[in-house]
């Protein structure tokens, strides 16, 4: 079941609005703050969507985060294996959550995963902001990205204080004593630009 039946229109609209409001045509030229907002918006969005999903009694295994990117995607020309290696092996090289999020977007890891999952799994909806959250693959990808973010928080000594305080996706962050850290697709569809 890659397609999630009866997905709430209000959640689709929330996702669509965020991406349309934060659209940038060149992922290498994203403004400061975008990376942190990207990570935090998707963290709170998938939490809400998966809460609804669980209430429907749907199979949780279908939306579990990927533990690694499928080889069919990793072998695509758009996939940046060096960027992936930095995230998997050198998270401490990112000074802030914003830097991590900007890197995920600017290296095209996020956009390529959306684009290639559409091709590899025959899920065209993954190439469109307006429909991607209706696919279980969306949660596989964004759950994995959120795990990268959680790993960064752990490595950098940063933790979210209470629940995320969303204002454009910004969470209130606190540094743990002695810590070193601190706290894709762009168009509405593949026809209009790169994914998410």
């Amino acid at each position: 079941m890659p397609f999630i039946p009866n997905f709430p229109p209000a959640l689709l609209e929330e996702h669509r609005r965020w991406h349309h409001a934060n659209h940038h045509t060149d992922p290498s030229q994203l403004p400061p703050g975008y990376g942190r907002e990207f990570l935090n918006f998707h963290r709170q969005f998938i939490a809400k969507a998966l809460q609804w999903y669980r209430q429907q009694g749907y199979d949780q295994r279908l939306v579990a985060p990927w533990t690694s990117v499928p080889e069919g995607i990793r072998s695509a020309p758009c996939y940046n294996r060096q960027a992936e290696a930095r995230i998997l092996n050198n998270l401490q090289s990112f000074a802030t959550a914003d830097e991590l999020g900007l890197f995920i977007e600017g290296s095209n890891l996020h956009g390529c995963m959306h684009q290639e999952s559409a091709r590899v799994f025959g899920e065209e909806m993954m190439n469109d902001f307006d429909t991607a959250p209706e696919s279980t693959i969306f949660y596989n990808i964004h759950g994995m990205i959120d795990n990268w973010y959680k790993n960064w928080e752990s490595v950098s000594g940063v933790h979210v204080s209470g629940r995320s305080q969303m204002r454009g996706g910004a969470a209130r962050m606190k540094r743990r004593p002695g810590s070193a850290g601190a706290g894709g697709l762009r168009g509405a569809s593949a026809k209009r630009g790169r994914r998410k």
Side-chain angles (χ1 to χ4, degrees):
M1 166 179 92
F3 176 75
I4 302 171
N6 306 312
F7 194 83
L11 282 174
L12 276 180
E13 180 61 18
E14 179 182 349
H15 186 263
R16 186 197 68 77
R17 270 195 325 265
W18 190 89
H19 274 284
H20 287 264
N22 292 285
H23 174 76
H24 297 278
T25 55
D26 184 353
S28 69
Q29 299 297 315
L30 297 169
Y34 178 90
R36 182 189 65 248
E37 290 177 16
F38 167 81
L39 291 170
N40 287 323
F41 170 79
H42 285 88
R43 174 175 281 177
Q44 67 84 26
F45 179 83
I46 63 174
K48 283 194 287 189
L50 291 177
Q51 179 182 16
W52 170 85
Y53 185 90
R54 281 188 297 278
Q55 291 170 347
Q56 307 315 298
Y58 295 149
D59 188 345
Q60 297 296 298
R61 295 171 296 181
L62 297 174
V63 291
W66 284 339
T67 56
S68 62
V69 178
E71 193 54 38
I73 294 171
R74 290 184 82 242
S75 63
C78 67
Y79 197 78
N80 186 333
R81 287 177 183 245
Q82 288 180 314
E84 177 190 52
R86 180 178 174 197
I87 290 170
L88 296 178
N89 303 314
N90 197 12
L91 274 173
Q92 67 275 14
S93 69
F94 299 101
T96 64
D98 190 45
E99 189 178 325
L100 173 63
L102 289 170
F103 184 77
I104 290 168
E105 287 285 84
S107 66
N108 198 35
L109 283 173
H110 174 236
C112 182
M113 284 189 279
H114 272 273
Q115 172 188 312
E116 292 303 306
S117 65
R119 180 185 64 80
V120 170
F121 301 113
E123 278 293 292
E124 272 309 306
M125 66 180 49
M126 288 302 296
N127 265 333
D128 191 327
F129 296 137
D130 300 346
T131 59
E134 291 181 289
S135 173
T136 57
I137 296 168
F138 177 88
Y139 304 95
N140 303 145
I141 291 171
H142 282 279
M144 181 180 65
I145 290 172
D146 194 55
N147 283 341
W148 292 346
Y149 185 21
K150 288 174 188 171
N151 291 342
W152 175 84
E153 288 173 327
S154 177
V155 166
S156 67
V158 172
H159 67 281
V160 177
S161 176
R163 301 185 91 196
S164 293
Q165 302 296 314
M166 299 304 295
R167 195 208 76 55
R172 214 168 17 133
M173 304 295 250
K174 291 185 178 180
R175 288 181 66 181
R176 291 186 181 136
S179 69
L185 292 175
R186 305 268 172 267
S189 72
K191 294 176 260 180
R192 288 183 263 168
R194 287 209 312 243
R195 192 57 198 125
K196 294 220 174 235

